[in-house]
């Protein structure tokens, strides 16, 4: 589970191995644990060779999209004479997700090392770590670690004595969910309103300051030094189900569960064993009812479905949902799904940047309808309207925020329609939790 709890015996702690170990935060402490060997070796290696190692490992983006990391790096055209940039997305605003901030809190040098290796692999001399402004402790820890690394010459104009330049800077975000979207993040770094950009052009062609840019998640970059130290076959072998999903994954668990926290397991781990063994099962006297497995933006599944899932990209897709960011939100039989989904819709309506009409109006109308149903004033036509709204919101906007609102709501209505109908017909009071 990681700090402040000891790891569960069935976890595979790689990224979380030093959570709770204050010495691992320091440069010397990180070096004593094998840190920065991978960076020294990488800086003496051809960037394309580094890209190939990461490709062979099968590492996929841990921020939610699951795109192959090495392939993404290879989109950057080396030797084109343009400044290249690396952005580390440490915004982590997805409700239910809280693993990146723990990586930064406890192993800041793991992230710095991963950023420096990635920067070298894509031909970048500058990296921005974009951190949500409210993460005051992770920001302080990261800035202290960066100062140590600069002073020791690990990064800077002659990184690790290689003659290569790697500059890494922390950039504080102002706390808007939309700034976790990669193009909005770039706008924010440039000092503009954090609105998403239309693609194409994709960031690898025209990203930050109009130059080729790669954006990776914290967990993705922190895994890179381990892959270089242990080899791509070691990482690829860490797979319990689909060979397309490799390595370990941090899952953040919250909601109605006995032991919430961060857990690191190999891809393909059985969800049923994860819920009842590692996470301790439901609270006394309760039963699990529903799960949102990948952060609040992915479809809801029932406990019966969750108990059959293998925890990897393909395993979740088999049951109509997604691995996403790995933020597992758990609801037990004391929860009202209409109320919980209304809360989610309200969040997305509040966080819409309002740039696209479908998102601005759609999330607001969906929230109003759901709140009407929860108040006992809904109609059966309201349920049909929500599905129609979602159809007009999904895939029709610049970014996927409106999709993220529609997916949990429509899946929740589909799987728990009886609870909505009970409120509409007055068979269940809006003020009484569903039992």
């Amino acid at each position: 589970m990681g700090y402040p709890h000891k790891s569960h015996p069935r976890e595979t702690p790689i990224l979380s191995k030093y959570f709770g170990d204050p010495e691992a935060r320091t440069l010397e402490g990180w070096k004593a644990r094998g840190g920065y060997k991978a960076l020294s070796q990488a800086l003496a290696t051809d960037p394309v060779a580094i890209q190939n190692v990461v490709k062979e490992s099968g590492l996929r983006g841990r921020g939610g999209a699951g795109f192959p990391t090495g392939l993404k790096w290879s989109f950057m055209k080396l030797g084109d004479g343009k400044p290249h940039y690396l952005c580390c997305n440490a915004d982590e605003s997805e409700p239910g997700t809280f693993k990146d901030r723990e990586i930064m809190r406890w192993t800041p040098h793991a992230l710095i090392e991963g950023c420096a290796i990635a920067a070298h692999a894509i031909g970048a001399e500058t990296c921005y770590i974009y951190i949500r402004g409210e993460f005051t402790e992770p920001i302080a820890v990261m800035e202290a670690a960066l100062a140590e690394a600069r002073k020791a010459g690990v990064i800077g104009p002659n990184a690790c004595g290689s003659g290569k330049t790697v500059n890494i800077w922390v950039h504080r975000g102002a706390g808007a969910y939309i700034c976790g979207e990669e193009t909005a993040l770039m706008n924010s770094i440039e000092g503009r309103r954090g609105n998403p950009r239309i693609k194409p052009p994709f960031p690898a062609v025209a990203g930050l300051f109009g130059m080729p840019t790669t954006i990776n998640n914290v967990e993705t970059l922190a895994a890179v030094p381990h892959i270089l130290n242990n080899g791509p076959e070691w990482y690829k072998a860490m797979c319990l189900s689909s060979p397309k999903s490799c390595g370990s994954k941090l899952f953040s668990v919250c909601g109605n569960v006995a032991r919430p926290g961060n857990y690191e397991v190999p891809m393909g781990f059985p969800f049923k064993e994860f819920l009842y063994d590692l996470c301790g099962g439901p609270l006394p006297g309760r039963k699990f009812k529903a799960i949102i497995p990948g952060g609040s933006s992915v479809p809801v599944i029932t406990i019966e479905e969750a108990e059959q899932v293998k925890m990897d990209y393909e395993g979740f897709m088999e049951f109509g949902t997604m691995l996403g960011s790995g933020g597992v939100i758990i609801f037990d039989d004391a929860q009202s799904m209409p109320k919980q989904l209304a809360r989610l819709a309200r969040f997305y309506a509040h966080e819409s940047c309002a740039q696209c009409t479908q998102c601005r109006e759609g999330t607001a109308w969906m929230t109003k309808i759901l709140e009407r149903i929860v108040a006992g004033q809904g109609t059966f036509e309201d349920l049909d309207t929500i599905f129609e709204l979602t159809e007009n919101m999904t895939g029709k906007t610049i970014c996927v925020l409106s999709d993220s609102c529609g997916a949990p709501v429509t899946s929740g209505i589909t799987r728990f329609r009886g609870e909505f109908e009970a409120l509409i017909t007055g068979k269940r009071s809006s003020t009484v939790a569903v039992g």
Side-chain angles (χ1 to χ4, degrees):
M1 188 186 292
Y3 181 83
H5 309 284
K6 291 182 179 178
S7 292
H8 189 279
R10 298 196 63 190
E11 283 189 79
T12 305
I14 295 170
L15 301 177
S16 59
K17 184 176 181 180
Y18 300 113
F19 284 7
D21 177 0
E23 290 185 4
R25 286 176 163 179
T26 65
L27 180 68
E28 291 308 313
W30 187 243
K31 283 185 173 178
R33 288 157 181 76
Y36 288 120
K37 288 181 182 175
L39 175 59
S40 296
Q41 294 169 2
L43 291 171
T45 306
D46 181 72
V48 175
I50 303 296
Q51 293 177 9
N52 289 336
V53 169
V54 176
K55 277 184 188 175
E56 290 168 21
S57 74
L59 174 65
R60 295 168 65 176
R62 302 303 199 220
F67 194 82
T69 304
L71 180 62
K72 190 175 194 178
W73 290 1
S74 70
F75 293 157
M76 299 287 279
K77 190 176 179 182
L78 299 174
D80 58 3
K82 298 178 180 178
H84 289 190
Y85 293 99
L86 173 69
C87 292
C88 172
N89 188 344
D91 191 66
E92 196 170 49
S93 309
E94 182 87 347
T97 307
F98 45 88
K99 39 93 177 172
D100 289 346
R101 69 199 73 176
E102 293 302 293
I103 292 173
M104 292 188 285
R105 284 180 71 208
W106 294 109
T107 56
H109 288 284
L111 179 58
I112 294 170
E113 188 172 8
C115 287
I117 293 169
H120 173 62
I122 63 169
E125 293 188 343
T126 303
C127 168
Y128 293 100
I129 301 175
Y130 187 96
I131 306 180
R132 190 174 180 83
E134 292 97 319
F135 293 175
T136 51
E137 185 187 359
I139 288 172
V141 172
M142 285 304 308
E143 288 186 332
L146 283 167
E148 274 190 306
R150 286 191 200 103
K151 187 176 180 181
V154 171
I155 58 174
N158 183 26
C160 297
S162 66
K164 310 278 176 50
T165 297
V166 181
N167 289 314
I168 303 176
W169 309 101
V170 165
H171 186 98
R172 298 186 186 204
Y177 174 79
I178 194 61
C179 287
E181 197 278 338
E182 61 178 12
T183 57
L185 183 153
M186 293 189 297
N187 272 356
S188 179
I189 291 177
E190 291 176 4
R192 295 193 277 163
R193 184 183 170 97
N195 284 356
R197 303 176 184 174
I198 294 173
K199 295 185 282 188
F202 293 96
V205 176
L208 191 63
F209 307 119
M211 294 296 136
T213 303
T214 293
I215 302 175
N216 288 129
N217 170 257
V218 168
E219 187 182 357
T220 312
L221 291 166
V224 171
H226 297 287
I227 292 171
L228 267 61
N229 281 330
N230 296 287
E233 292 304 320
W234 164 82
Y235 197 76
K236 204 170 182 177
M238 218 181 315
C239 160
L240 300 177
S241 184
S242 170
K244 295 180 180 177
S245 295
C246 309
S248 65
K249 175 80 185 80
L250 276 166
F251 288 90
S252 309
V253 180
C254 67
N256 308 126
V257 63
R259 290 199 295 266
N262 282 309
Y263 296 87
E264 187 172 8
V265 293
M267 284 288 198
F269 197 88
F271 206 178
K272 185 175 183 178
E273 294 175 32
F274 182 81
L275 290 172
Y276 293 95
D277 190 358
L278 279 69
C279 302
L283 297 169
R286 309 299 339 170
K287 294 179 180 177
F288 289 145
K289 180 167 71 176
I291 312 284
I292 303 181
S296 64
S297 60
V298 309
V300 180
I301 56 175
T302 64
I303 183 58
E304 291 79 14
E305 291 172 310
E307 288 177 352
Q308 301 175 59
V309 166
K310 301 293 185 186
M311 300 173 72
D312 58 26
Y313 296 100
E314 291 70 30
F316 284 113
M317 286 181 67
E318 187 178 342
F319 287 88
T321 188
M322 298 168 65
L323 182 145
S325 61
V328 180
I329 305 171
I330 301 176
F331 305 98
D332 68 17
D333 56 355
Q335 299 302 319
S336 160
M337 293 310 292
K339 285 184 179 178
Q340 295 299 332
L341 295 171
R343 289 180 64 190
L344 271 184
R346 195 181 311 127
F347 168 80
Y348 285 105
H350 179 268
E351 295 295 334
S352 171
C353 76
Q355 190 175 196
C356 303
T357 304
Q358 296 93 330
C359 180
R360 182 183 65 242
E361 301 297 328
T363 54
W365 275 109
M366 189 173 288
T367 303
K368 287 179 182 177
I369 293 169
L370 285 168
E371 289 179 342
R372 188 161 66 222
I373 293 171
V374 169
Q377 299 168 357
T379 65
F380 286 102
E381 289 74 22
D382 282 338
L383 299 179
D384 297 332
T385 302
I386 288 175
F387 279 89
E388 188 179 346
L389 268 174
T390 301
E391 187 177 340
N392 286 293
M393 291 162 59
T394 303
K396 296 178 172 64
T397 49
I398 293 174
C399 77
V400 296
L401 188 142
S402 59
D403 305 41
S404 301
C405 181
V409 170
T410 53
S411 58
I413 293 174
T414 301
R415 286 169 168 83
F416 298 95
R417 190 178 181 94
E419 292 190 22
F420 288 85
E421 293 181 347
L423 286 170
I424 292 169
T425 58
K427 291 181 179 177
R428 182 159 288 152
S429 167
S430 62
T431 58
V432 178
V434 176

